[in-house]
Amino acid sequence: MRLALAARHLFDTGHTPAQAYATLARRTREPLRSARAVCTALAIPAAEVNRRLDDCYDALLANPRPNSEADTGELLEALGVFDIPKTLTPHELAVVDLFLTAIDALGGIRAGHQHGLARWFTTGNLTAAYLSLTATKPLPTTGDPTRYWTTLIQAGELLTTTPNPDIRLRNALTRC
């Protein structure tokens, strides 16, 4: 718990999660414990912390290279290990369901795009997810363009019913 308090102090003094991880890992020489402390300080639920750290333990935390703490922290952050999950409302869950239908209608998606979308779903950044999807086109041979654009129109209509929707949402919806 003391390590989590140290992480919280680092956040309070302006450190990013990646920087807090690097500082703690340098100090303790215990990368897994340091990553867990950063997640705990961010109030990420323990079960989610375990899942995230299990996913990257072998590649990043099991056998760290000397003086690689800053790089490891940045990778952990880029992988979404330090993303704070948002509890989505039923309205937001309906939008995510529409996004998943649209992704299916794409006919294939790059791994990096899929990862970015998953992070936005986790953090509740549905505007970024929508804008990303509206900038993507279904694959000509395996995608279903009609279902893709129809589903994105439905998602955009739901997103624009929120109070003060981002103007970019309306513009993207119009393009759909």
Side-chain angles (χ1 to χ4, degrees):
M1 186 52 99
R2 290 181 61 175
L3 206 53
L5 290 174
R8 183 75 254 156
H9 174 72
L10 289 168
F11 296 149
D12 291 344
T13 58
H15 289 73
T16 66
Q19 293 167 333
Y21 166 82
T23 300
L24 296 176
R26 263 188 234 104
R27 187 180 307 157
T28 66
R29 300 286 180 224
E30 296 182 55
L32 179 61
R33 190 168 159 241
S34 299
R36 189 175 305 285
V38 170
C39 291
T40 300
L42 291 169
I44 298 170
E48 182 65 13
V49 171
N50 291 336
R51 185 192 63 75
R52 292 178 187 188
L53 293 177
D54 285 348
D55 286 348
C56 66
Y57 177 76
D58 290 336
L60 294 175
L61 302 172
N63 297 305
R65 291 177 296 121
N67 302 316
S68 66
E69 297 86 359
D71 293 337
T72 301
E74 289 176 17
L75 280 170
L76 291 169
E77 193 163 62
L79 289 171
V81 171
F82 303 137
D83 286 352
I84 300 169
K86 178 183 183 260
T87 302
L88 300 179
T89 66
H91 180 86
E92 291 168 326
L93 289 171
V95 171
V96 170
D97 284 342
L98 289 167
F99 287 164
L100 295 173
T101 300
I103 291 167
D104 185 52
L106 269 174
I109 188 168
R110 295 180 334 272
H113 193 193
Q114 179 82 28
H115 175 72
L117 289 167
R119 289 188 68 193
W120 289 324
F121 297 166
T122 298
T123 59
N125 191 348
L126 302 185
T127 296
Y130 185 73
L131 295 174
S132 176
L133 286 169
T134 60
T136 305
K137 293 184 173 135
L139 296 175
T141 55
T142 57
D144 182 346
T146 302
R147 186 166 62 118
Y148 182 72
W149 295 113
T150 301
T151 304
L152 286 182
I153 288 169
Q154 292 171 341
E157 288 171 346
L158 278 178
L159 284 169
T160 57
T161 62
T162 61
N164 303 316
D166 189 317
I167 189 68
R168 297 174 301 165
L169 290 172
R170 286 202 174 103
N171 293 338
L173 176 57
T174 301
R175 282 193 313 272
C176 288

